[in-house]
Amino acid sequence: MEKKYPLHQLTTWKIGGPAEAVYWPQTKEDLSIVWQRAQEAEVPVWLIGQGSNLLLPDEGLPGVTLVTTSLRKVKWGDYTVQVEAGYSLARLAQEAGERGLSGLEFARGIPGSVGGAVMMNAGAHGGTIAPHIMNVTALWADGTLKKVEKTELEFAYRFCSLRGHAWVLEAELMFSPGDRKRILQNMKENLKMRKLNQPLEKPNAGSVFQNPFGDSAGRLIEAAGWKGRSRGGAQVSNKHANFIVNTGNAKAKDVLALMEEIQKDVQLKFGITLQTEVAYLQRSTKNDARCAMHDARIEGEQSSQND
Ligand SMILES: Cc1cc2nc3c(=O)[nH]c(=O)nc-3n(C[C@H](O)[C@H](O)[C@H](O)COP(=O)(O)OP(=O)(O)OC[C@H]3O[C@@H](n4cnc5c(N)ncnc54)[C@H](O)[C@@H]3O)c2cc1C
């Protein structure tokens, strides 16, 4: 357990104040025990993966922040893989490709963990992780670890029905047999496209807003004139308007201010409400402990989760 850990080191945006304590569980059971003890002691608990879709508060986080990246056991079958939540999705995709297993070609450039990807139903280039999930082992609010079959879960665009109810600790995924060379080539092309279209040279958290049905958030933000505009150290990327980059010293409050202004302006100009894709973990505004599995969307269930 590390005390007063700088959270900006745990996110791709490089934003976030000190965590009271950060812990990297070694096993799923270990994580479950910490969760239960924290619940008994009424200490807030937070869960993060690779921090690639995450805004963390400038004031830091109270209680214990659990980081799944230490959970990375992986067991390959002929056409399946059982993999712990902290394993890198991009690495898993690459390894599947090298085995001639097709399915995760879309994921090679997504810099998150497997657990984060299941929870966000991560996707790109026309694919998502949902069709490849067979089952998920999750930690439930009462501290039990339970395996749920895919048929018991619902997935939609950047949504998994476990959100707010359980945390993903392991998943079993399936693949189709494919041509190794073609799979690897496909991934290479996807990576090349990302380099061209995304501001990967500066700290960011991927797409800030979800694409509204039938449109693109980036197109709307650009059309509203936001490319290149900044608040403090946060700037709307000149390369891709749905990315906000950290130009060096961005604070969470800069990013939030920019997001709010963009949302209002796009609503005013096009009548479309942009929903956030990035998650935001924030301190409770009351002194009571958080007893629910947090969901960290900036809007939606925020008040019931965070207050
Ligand atoms: C350059 C760049 C490109 C990106 N491109 C894409 C893309 O093409 N498609 C896409 O879908 N995403 C993309 N992303 C966003 C991000 O990589 C994905 O959403 C990823 O799945 C998040 O995983 P993570 O481990 O980083 O989650 P985190 O950022 O650590 O967490 C995100 C949210 O998920 C929760 N969470 C994390 N792990 C778990 C778990 N095990 N159980 C329950 N909840 C959990 C956290 O509490 C938080 O609410 C991109 C990000 C970047 C920086």
Side-chain angles (χ1 to χ4, degrees):
M1 185 98 59
E2 297 242 9
K3 300 268 168 74
K4 301 242 176 297
Y5 193 89
L7 284 169
H8 67 84
Q9 290 186 8
L10 300 177
T11 71
T12 55
W13 239 333
K14 304 287 173 226
I15 293 174
E20 190 177 344
V22 173
Y23 185 63
W24 288 262
Q26 293 307 305
T27 61
K28 299 186 283 295
E29 292 72 22
D30 187 16
L31 190 149
S32 157
I33 289 168
V34 175
W35 162 260
Q36 288 178 59
R37 290 204 180 136
Q39 291 295 292
E40 283 157 20
E42 300 201 339
V43 168
V45 193
W46 315 83
L47 185 82
I48 69 176
Q50 301 259 7
S52 65
N53 202 36
L54 197 56
L55 184 62
L56 294 178
D58 301 321
E59 305 75 31
L61 290 172
V64 186
T65 302
L66 298 171
V67 189
T68 63
T69 52
S70 46
L71 298 178
R72 40 173 190 246
K73 282 197 197 114
V74 61
K75 196 169 154 202
W76 290 92
D78 286 346
Y79 299 110
T80 60
V81 68
Q82 197 169 339
V83 58
E84 284 188 338
Y87 206 79
S88 151
L89 179 68
R91 184 169 166 193
L92 192 74
Q94 179 69 26
E95 288 171 359
E98 276 160 13
R99 287 165 181 260
L101 297 176
S102 175
L104 290 187
E105 288 87 327
F106 74 90
R108 179 61 184 84
I110 302 181
S113 65
V114 167
V118 171
M119 215 54 171
M120 299 299 298
N121 189 17
H125 315 289
T128 69
I129 195 162
H132 308 287
I133 295 172
M134 294 168 70
N135 56 61
V136 169
T137 301
L139 173 70
W140 299 79
D142 65 2
T144 53
L145 285 171
K146 198 176 94 186
K147 189 193 272 190
V148 281
E149 295 303 321
K150 165 75 171 295
T151 49
E152 300 170 66
L153 298 171
E154 277 174 43
F155 289 94
Y157 174 57
R158 302 294 175 269
F159 173 80
C160 165
S161 54
L162 288 174
R163 188 180 287 167
H165 302 290
W167 285 338
V168 175
L169 300 191
E170 190 173 79
E172 195 169 3
L173 307 179
M174 62 185 171
F175 302 92
S176 324
D179 178 66
R180 179 180 180 276
K181 227 169 147 187
R182 194 175 298 166
I183 296 169
L184 294 176
Q185 183 58 27
N186 190 343
M187 290 201 235
K188 221 171 156 182
E189 280 159 20
N190 288 343
L191 280 178
K192 206 165 140 192
M193 230 156 78
R194 280 175 184 269
K195 260 196 182 156
L196 272 178
N197 299 324
Q198 300 181 352
L200 303 181
E201 63 289 349
K202 294 213 178 92
N204 70 78
S207 293
V208 172
F209 297 102
Q210 297 182 5
N211 287 324
F213 187 71
D215 209 332
S216 126
R219 187 197 74 75
L220 291 163
I221 299 165
E222 183 172 352
W226 281 90
K227 258 192 172 176
R229 289 170 72 177
S230 49
R231 295 291 173 267
Q235 184 184 42
V236 178
S237 163
N238 276 308
K239 212 168 183 182
H240 191 316
N242 199 19
F243 279 56
I244 291 179
V245 296
N246 179 352
T247 58
N249 59 351
K251 301 283 176 221
K253 69 173 170 44
D254 301 332
V255 174
L256 290 170
L258 206 45
M259 287 173 67
E260 201 182 319
E261 285 185 70
I262 290 171
Q263 269 172 321
K264 280 190 185 146
D265 200 34
V266 167
Q267 173 70 50
L268 195 73
K269 289 183 171 139
F270 307 111
I272 292 173
T273 310
L274 290 177
Q275 306 290 335
T276 54
E277 179 163 325
V278 290
Y280 179 45
L281 305 187
Q282 60 178 327
R283 304 173 78 101
S284 172
T285 50
K286 291 184 197 157
N287 285 329
D288 55 350
R290 301 159 59 87
C291 292
M293 292 278 173
H294 67 76
D295 167 26
R297 315 303 296 190
I298 290 175
E299 72 293 287
E301 292 158 305
Q302 181 194 0
S303 55
S304 60
Q305 306 279 337
N306 294 320
D307 290 349

